Amino acid sequence: MSSPLPLWVRLNLWYLVISNVFPGVWAAFGPQSFYDFFPDFGLGLRWVASDGPYNEHLIRDVGAFFLSVSILPLLALLRPRLVAVRAVPLCLLLFNGLHLAYHLGHLHMVTPVNRYTSIAALIGSLVLTVTLWLAPTDSTPAAAPGVAS
């Protein structure tokens, strides 16, 4: 059975799922490692530790937030009539916009390589989120599973 969503929309949603699950699991279950090394990938990138002292509570809360936000694009992928694709950018634009704004105001705290890679990643997420707003949608509302129309 094929998906009612265009391939580019499905790929965009998968990116948003993965880009939220990855830091979410890492921060929620390995907060000190996340603080010390995110996003590293063996490239020496450090986007969190340069921004002040370690706070386990804050890092675990960030992980929980990323994990909870990953549910929205995942549901849009698995049940596009339950969670409208347009609901994903509506929710994520606020987070991605505020997240980018914070980092743009704190560029002086990180090395040039970390500055450029983090801003590129944040702008990329924001651009992908905006493209979802432009995705074609089915305007016919659907009842939630088990709920009569």
Side-chain angles (χ1 to χ4, degrees):
M1 182 168 118
S2 68
S3 171
L5 300 173
L7 177 62
W8 72 270
V9 171
R10 291 192 317 267
L11 291 174
N12 190 322
L13 289 167
W14 274 118
Y15 171 82
L16 292 170
V17 170
I18 293 165
S19 69
N20 285 287
V21 166
F22 176 70
V25 168
W26 191 355
F29 300 104
Q32 184 69 57
S33 172
F34 179 86
Y35 173 81
D36 291 338
F37 299 110
F38 182 80
D40 199 22
F41 306 116
L43 302 173
L45 300 175
R46 304 290 191 274
W47 297 353
V48 180
S50 61
D51 199 14
Y54 173 70
N55 179 320
E56 182 179 357
H57 181 187
L58 177 62
I59 299 294
R60 286 188 188 273
D61 284 355
V62 165
F65 169 78
F66 273 113
L67 286 173
S68 65
V69 154
S70 69
I71 298 300
L72 192 60
L74 183 62
L75 284 175
L77 274 163
L78 300 176
R79 300 294 298 265
R81 294 188 45 89
L82 175 62
V83 176
V85 171
R86 285 233 172 109
V88 175
L90 188 60
C91 293
L92 286 174
L93 279 173
L94 179 60
F95 170 69
N96 288 332
L98 291 173
H99 194 183
L100 175 61
Y102 173 82
H103 284 277
L104 286 172
H106 293 83
L107 293 174
H108 64 282
M109 300 176 76
V110 296
T111 64
V113 69
N114 285 296
R115 183 177 310 140
Y116 301 124
T117 56
S118 66
I119 296 304
L122 293 168
I123 288 173
S125 288
L126 190 61
V127 167
L128 286 175
T129 303
V130 168
T131 65
L132 276 182
W133 183 256
L134 304 174
T137 62
D138 180 358
S139 60
T140 308
V147 177
S149 304

